[in-house]
Amino acid sequence: MNDTQFAAATTIREACLQASSFLLEQGVQDHNSAAEWLLQHVLGVSRSEFFMCWNKPFPEECRDRWSEVLTRRAKGEPVQYITGEQEFYGLPFRVTPAVLIPRPETELLVERIVAVGRRLWPGGRPLVADIGCGSGAIPVTIAVQCPTWDVTATDISADAVKVARSNAAANGVGDRVRFYGGDLLEPYIRERITIDILVSNPPYIESGDMPHLQPEVREHEPHLALDGGPDGLRFYRRIVEQTGKLPSRPAVIGFEVGSGQARQVAELIRESGGWERIEIVNDLAGIERHVIGSPKI
């Protein structure tokens, strides 16, 4: 944003409108929401406080920071990495380029896993394992929703585990979620840990599609958490195969999947012979997004 244009903004409202126009000119699709979100971040105010100070003078001391964050967004950096945070299931999560930005559709996976777990273990203490936890959105949310459950998680990225641990602590469950560094189920296999509920949102983008992802995803989010191999199913196969090396197969297995993958993943689960009931759950856009295997009761 050039200095002349920016200097013309005398109120918070004017700064927001000018920023929205600037981001639109740069081809940013979420230009309106990005301008509001970034300005709230720079000013250090909540959404309600933001509109209450709509007509107040723009703080002179914020101009350099404001210009910096707008430039970063204009170059394609996701708002969440600029602000360092993303809400998930009503909870605040710190995000860095070491982890994927939590998506709203994953909230439905958490919701379904919690519902199935409460039905199978009413008042009980199942052990949950989230495989490839990233920011910790799934295990932390489950721990908050189900205080009696034993929640664990793994990630091969040490940096991701650090972020997840910090999010568990920030949301008051730091002493209730155990994190392991390791490749998929290897820590559980090595320690002979029995898992009751396995949940995972693994990498599922086909390798050949990686160059065609939206630039803000391709250039900023970790490829380790995106690339699912030639057909996108590499990690589903490995996880299902590894469950056979545990003391016993988990009673419940739940996956998030990419568009068009649900039937194939359901068949992988069915062929393993470990789960009697297999359910495909649509997301809010009607896309088959989650596959849940559980016992018949």
Side-chain angles (χ1 to χ4, degrees):
M1 198 167 191
N2 67 62
D3 294 338
T4 302
Q5 182 182 19
F6 186 74
T10 58
T11 67
I12 290 172
R13 175 181 180 276
E14 288 174 345
C16 189
L17 294 175
Q18 289 179 6
S20 179
S21 296
F22 167 71
L23 293 176
L24 176 61
E25 291 170 2
Q26 302 303 309
V28 177
Q29 292 186 350
D30 63 344
H31 53 96
N32 285 326
S33 60
E36 290 185 7
W37 195 351
L38 289 172
L39 189 47
Q40 290 170 46
H41 173 68
V42 168
L43 296 174
V45 297
S46 67
R47 183 169 176 78
S48 60
E49 291 170 334
F50 175 66
F51 290 107
M52 288 178 66
C53 63
W54 196 233
N55 292 312
K56 290 183 178 180
F58 187 90
E60 191 65 33
E61 65 272 17
C62 292
R63 290 190 184 276
D64 289 345
R65 176 64 175 149
W66 181 224
S67 180
E68 175 199 339
V69 300
L70 288 176
T71 300
R72 289 169 65 182
R73 184 68 191 103
K75 291 180 177 179
E77 187 173 354
V79 169
Q80 293 91 337
Y81 289 152
I82 298 172
T83 64
E85 58 187 13
Q86 168 66 25
E87 185 178 284
F88 182 86
Y89 219 92
L91 301 173
F93 283 86
R94 182 170 75 90
V95 293
T96 76
V99 301
L100 286 183
I101 298 165
R103 265 63 172 188
E105 54 265 29
T106 309
E107 295 179 352
L108 299 177
L109 176 60
V110 170
E111 190 174 274
R112 191 63 187 158
I113 288 295
V114 168
V116 172
R118 285 175 173 166
R119 186 179 75 242
L120 293 175
W121 291 274
R125 190 184 181 90
L127 187 141
V128 180
D130 176 36
I131 308 304
C133 64
S135 68
I138 290 175
V140 170
T141 303
I142 291 175
V144 170
Q145 292 292 312
C146 306
T148 65
W149 290 14
D150 189 2
V151 182
T152 67
T154 65
D155 204 290
I156 197 170
S157 165
D159 289 336
V161 171
K162 289 179 183 177
V163 173
R165 281 200 175 106
S166 72
N167 281 321
N171 283 287
V173 293
D175 60 342
R176 291 189 37 240
V177 183
R178 286 177 288 151
F179 293 97
Y180 301 98
D183 186 19
L184 302 180
L185 291 172
E186 285 184 359
Y188 300 91
I189 295 169
R190 183 176 61 250
E191 301 296 329
R192 302 299 292 166
I193 298 172
T194 297
I195 298 170
D196 297 307
I197 300 174
L198 186 155
V199 60
S200 183
N201 179 15
Y204 56 67
I205 305 298
E206 295 181 17
S207 298
D209 289 341
M210 291 290 293
H212 309 296
L213 294 175
Q214 290 180 321
E216 65 180 43
V217 175
R218 183 183 68 243
E219 296 172 10
H220 295 279
E221 300 204 54
H223 286 201
L224 183 67
L226 292 168
D227 191 339
D231 63 355
L233 303 178
R234 172 191 294 160
F235 293 98
Y236 302 104
R237 292 192 186 94
R238 289 190 60 205
I239 291 171
V240 171
E241 187 272 332
Q242 284 184 335
T243 62
K245 299 178 182 179
L246 295 168
S248 61
R249 287 190 189 270
V252 177
I253 188 168
F255 287 124
E256 182 163 319
V257 300
S259 179
Q261 295 177 336
R263 305 286 166 159
Q264 293 168 285
V265 173
E267 188 59 28
L268 283 174
I269 295 174
R270 185 176 292 108
E271 288 176 353
S272 75
W275 295 273
E276 298 172 301
R277 184 174 186 268
I278 300 172
E279 175 188 14
I280 294 176
V281 181
N282 291 356
D283 65 17
L284 296 179
I287 296 171
E288 295 180 335
R289 183 63 65 186
H290 306 113
V291 182
I292 313 293
S294 61
K296 288 183 178 179
I297 59 170

